[in-house]
């Protein structure tokens, strides 16, 4: 396989736009948002849609520079924390309410893509959860749990039917989640930014906030070329750590994960996929992939506490790809990249406030496209109207992740689960 080029496939196919100018000079605003990923952009757009126009969003690099412009593009309900754990921790009513926020977010994403004509290759064809193991127990249990407690219905895919859609001998049966879609994540972020800017939000790229201080009842944010005085501040910096408030930064473990895109496959794509749904499998350390409009296969997987070079990503994921689709032997990988997710110890998003005009939305883990949209809505409703819906996340606070020790724990836990999957696979022969 030839060495992949940089940057990511998404950056190479990004919707062109005139860059937003850096913040320069002294400014004042009602609301400042730090971070131009989905969490920040959805909050900005939610505020604009509620008629709050005095909003400034500051992004260190470009909108969608972080996880939001690098991810797998799967849009589905739920959180990084599984549904059973959510139920155990919160009880039926609260767990269901939190889960429903994300399924409503999937619908909101559909609507916004249409309403703002966001050109992001949205494929509204659902997601397949393919069973890596012979034992159907885990799938049956989850299907039942979702139906009984979350009023969510995933269809059973017997092995034969799954293999008609996904041409791999690796899988047994599967589940099909209809209310799910996939899209070009960076172009979705660029579209959200354009929608917010079109309604008066002032966006500044290349504006790294390096200091944030309380000044009377307001907050003063400093960038290299400017200063902003704000009544309220939203920190939405994910795994790219703002470095502004210790307590908020320490609550996050940035974890790397990897993605690549093959060369255009032409008819060979049909030799792998007869469906246009996105696919992931039932292991803890699962593969995920989806077809792209130009017949490439986008492939992701693995997590680690360290970033890897595009070449190393290609080597790792290339091996995973051929295990599932040996028919793609010799295929060229055109792009490979990595991104940082933000994890909390409790594996749930942290959406909260200190009551002093400081808000945060972070820790969306590897399952953030819909939850960031939900969080943006909650924060926008809170700031614009005093709504208290964000308090539904109050169980999930800013517990310290104890970096750097926390990294060791996370890596060890990942290896532990990965080896369990490996043994289970070997046992099943
Ligand atoms: C490779 C990968 C694959 C994934 N796949 C999926 C998937 O298929 N489906 C799914 O639901 N989720 C997926 N996720 C998770 C999802 O992408 C994230 O949960 C989501 O994008 C988080 O958004 P965010 O706004 O919190 O953070 P980010 O998108 O990381 O944005 C944070 C932004 O803050 C900026 N910033 C940081 N500090 C400062 C500062 N001091 N001043 C100014 N700006 C600052 C950064 O530059 C960055 O742009 C994946 C993540 C990765 C990395």
């Amino acid at each position: 396989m030839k060495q992949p080029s940089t940057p990511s496939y998404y950056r190479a196919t990004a919707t062109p736009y005139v860059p937003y100018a850096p913040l320069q000079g002294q400014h004042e605003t009602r609301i400042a948002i730090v971070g131009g990923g989905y969490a920040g952009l959805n909050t900005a757009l939610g505020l604009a849609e509620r008629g709050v126009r005095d909003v400034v969003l500051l992004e260190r690099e470009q909108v969608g520079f972080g996880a939001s412009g690098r991810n797998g593009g799967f849009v589905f309900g739920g959180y990084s924390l599984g549904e059973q754990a959510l139920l155990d921790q919160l009880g039926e009513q609260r767990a269901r309410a939190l889960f429903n926020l994300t399924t409503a977010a999937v619908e909101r994403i559909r609507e916004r893509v249409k309403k703002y004509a966001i050109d992001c290759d949205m494929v509204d064809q659902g997601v397949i959860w393919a069973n890596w193991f012979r034992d159907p127990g885990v799938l049956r249990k989850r299907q039942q749990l979702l139906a009984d407690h979350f009023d969510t219905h995933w269809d059973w895919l017997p092995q034969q039917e799954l293999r008609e859609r996904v041409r791999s001998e690796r899988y047994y049966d599967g589940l099909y989640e209809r209310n799910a879609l996939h899209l070009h994540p960076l172009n979705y972020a660029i579209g959200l930014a354009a929608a917010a800017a079109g309604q008066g939000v002032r966006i500044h790229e290349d504006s790294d906030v390096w200091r944030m201080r309380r000044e009377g009842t307001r907050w003063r944010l400093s960038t290299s070329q400017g200063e902003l005085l704000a009544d309220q501040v939203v920190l939405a910096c994910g795994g790219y750590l703002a470095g502004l408030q210790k307590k908020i930064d320490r609550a996050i473990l940035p974890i790397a994960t990897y993605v690549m895109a093959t060369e255009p496959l032409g008819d060979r794509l049909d030799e792998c996929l007869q469906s246009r749904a996105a696919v992931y499998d039932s292991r803890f350390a699962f593969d995920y992939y989806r077809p792209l409009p130009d017949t490439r296969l986008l492939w992701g997987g693995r997590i680690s506490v360290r970033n890897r070079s595009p070449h190393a990503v290609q080597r790792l994921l290339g091996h995973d790809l051929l295990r599932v689709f040996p028919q793609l032997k010799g295929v060229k990988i055109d792009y490979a990249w990595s991104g940082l997710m933000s994890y909390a110890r409790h594996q749930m998003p942290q959406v909260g406030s200190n009551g002093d005009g400081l808000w945060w939305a972070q820790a969306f883990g590897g399952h953030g496209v819909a939850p960031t949209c939900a969080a943006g809505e909650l924060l926008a409703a809170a700031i614009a109207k005093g709504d208290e819906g964000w308090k539904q996340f109050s169980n999930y606070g800013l517990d310290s992740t104890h970096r750097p020790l926390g990294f060791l724990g996370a890596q060890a836990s990942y290896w532990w689960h990965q080896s369990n999957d490996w043994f289970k696979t070997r046992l099943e022969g």
Side-chain angles (χ1 to χ4, degrees), residues 37-39 59-60 67-68 71-74 208-209 240 242 288 364-366 368-369:
Y38 299 147
E59 163 56 45
R60 181 185 282 158
S68 302
N71 63 64
F74 285 48
D208 180 16
V209 180
Y240 291 78
Y288 55 89
F364 294 94
V369 184

Side-chain angles (χ1 to χ4, degrees), residues 37-38 41-42 45 112 116 118 187-197 203:
Y38 299 147
L41 292 168
N42 276 298
L45 182 55
R112 279 184 170 160
Y116 297 112
I118 299 177
N187 283 343
Y188 166 59
I190 290 171
L192 288 178
I203 298 179

Side-chain angles (χ1 to χ4, degrees), residues 386-401:
D387 189 277
E388 298 203 329
W390 62 275
K391 291 189 175 168
Q392 292 177 80
F393 282 93
S394 58
N395 278 54
Y396 301 108
L398 297 173
D399 313 1
S400 172
T401 52

Side-chain angles (χ1 to χ4, degrees), residues 33-41 58-76 207-210 223 236-244 255-259 288 290 337-342 361-372:
I33 297 172
V34 185
Y38 299 147
L41 292 168
L58 302 171
E59 163 56 45
R60 181 185 282 158
E61 310 278 350
Q62 307 101 36
V63 292
F65 171 82
S68 302
R70 299 162 186 257
N71 63 64
F74 285 48
V75 184
F76 41 16
S207 299
D208 180 16
V209 180
W210 63 275
T223 67
C237 298
Y240 291 78
L241 301 181
L244 298 171
I255 301 281
T257 178
Y258 313 115
V259 189
Y288 55 89
R290 61 190 186 89
W337 64 96
S338 61
L340 294 174
M341 306 175 286
S342 64
Q362 59 180 15
F364 294 94
H367 203 128
V369 184
T372 45

Side-chain angles (χ1 to χ4, degrees), residues 73-84:
F74 285 48
V75 184
F76 41 16
Y79 299 93
S80 283
L81 185 73
E83 297 88 22
Q84 182 65 63

